[in-house]
Amino acid sequence: TRNELLPGLSEERIAALAKDLPFKLPAEAVELFRWRSGTTRQTADCDFFPYYSLQSLEDAISTFQELGYDDEFPRFHGEQPVRFPLFESVGTDYYCISVIKDACNQHAVFFDPSDSQPDFEFSTLEKMLQCIHVSLERNVYYVNEQGILAVGECQYNSKGQLIKVDASAYFEIIKEVDPVGAAKRSDL
């Protein structure tokens, strides 16, 4: 929620924190951390968008460094493009911005689940943030009965278990806001 967002960082502070990364943070990521530097905690009740919180820059760097040396996560190191985690689920799934070492000209956003290979999601971080904004404006993202930010229309069985989520309105927003990214996605 709005009250859970941490104040932004100065460019100088961002540069100091990111100085040991093997690449330069993309300008879009720097701009995001100048606006807000994360959420106060990574729990479902303070999501930046459904099921994901904005990591602080310190936490994102720590996550990158931890996973950057783990052979189970080669997409965070080694072969280009390197991905830098920005948003984290309560579990260990991430939305990452793609960067190339020593350059800032590749800014695609990937969904990086813990149990499978990363998927292309948005052509840029700016397009992702625009989709979040439009989804909030149109109530495609909403606060559910448990006080948690959710997406789409949910169907439950007689035991109250979630059985289906209709996210078609969200996918329409993606097609509208990020047509280039939508054309590259595997789920649209």
Side-chain angles (χ1 to χ4, degrees), residues 3-188:
N3 296 333
E4 304 291 340
L5 290 171
L6 298 170
L9 302 173
S10 68
E11 280 194 49
E12 295 78 20
R13 180 70 179 139
I14 293 168
L17 289 169
K19 69 179 174 30
D20 292 330
L21 290 172
F23 52 83
K24 183 179 174 186
L25 279 178
E28 288 177 297
V30 171
E31 188 175 332
L32 176 65
F33 288 117
R34 286 192 63 199
W35 174 70
R36 292 289 187 262
S37 62
T39 51
T40 57
R41 58 186 197 268
Q42 266 71 40
T43 59
D45 62 341
C46 67
D47 288 346
F48 188 82
F49 62 96
Y51 321 114
Y52 289 84
S53 60
L54 172 61
Q55 293 192 94
S56 68
L57 180 55
E58 293 91 339
D59 287 346
I61 290 169
S62 176
T63 298
F64 174 81
Q65 290 171 336
E66 178 183 335
L67 299 179
Y69 297 102
D70 188 331
D71 289 336
E72 291 185 37
F73 294 93
R75 54 202 167 267
F76 284 100
H77 60 86
E79 297 296 320
Q80 294 179 359
V82 174
R83 293 187 180 95
F84 184 75
L86 297 174
F87 302 97
E88 179 182 24
S89 70
V90 176
T92 55
D93 298 335
Y94 300 93
Y95 276 85
C96 303
I97 191 165
S98 180
V99 297
I100 293 180
K101 292 180 182 180
D102 301 321
C104 290
N105 61 350
Q106 298 242 347
H107 306 293
V109 175
F110 288 80
F111 172 59
D112 194 338
S114 60
D115 59 354
S116 63
Q117 290 299 309
D119 286 320
F120 177 92
E121 290 289 315
F122 299 95
S123 60
T124 66
L125 179 58
E126 180 180 1
K127 293 294 185 185
M128 178 184 185
L129 296 173
Q130 287 173 352
C131 285
I132 292 169
H133 179 80
V134 172
S135 295
L136 287 165
E137 278 185 332
R138 295 184 187 169
N139 295 318
V140 172
Y141 289 168
Y142 63 95
V143 178
N144 67 17
E145 302 82 35
Q146 293 82 29
I148 296 172
L149 195 60
V151 62
E153 293 183 28
C154 300
Q155 294 178 3
Y156 300 89
N157 64 19
S158 60
K159 296 178 184 179
Q161 299 166 323
L162 180 66
I163 57 172
K164 183 179 179 186
V165 176
D166 178 3
S168 58
Y170 174 66
F171 292 137
E172 290 304 314
I173 290 170
I174 293 171
K175 290 176 186 175
E176 174 187 327
V177 173
D178 188 12
V180 172
K184 293 181 180 180
R185 288 179 63 136
S186 62
D187 58 351
L188 296 181

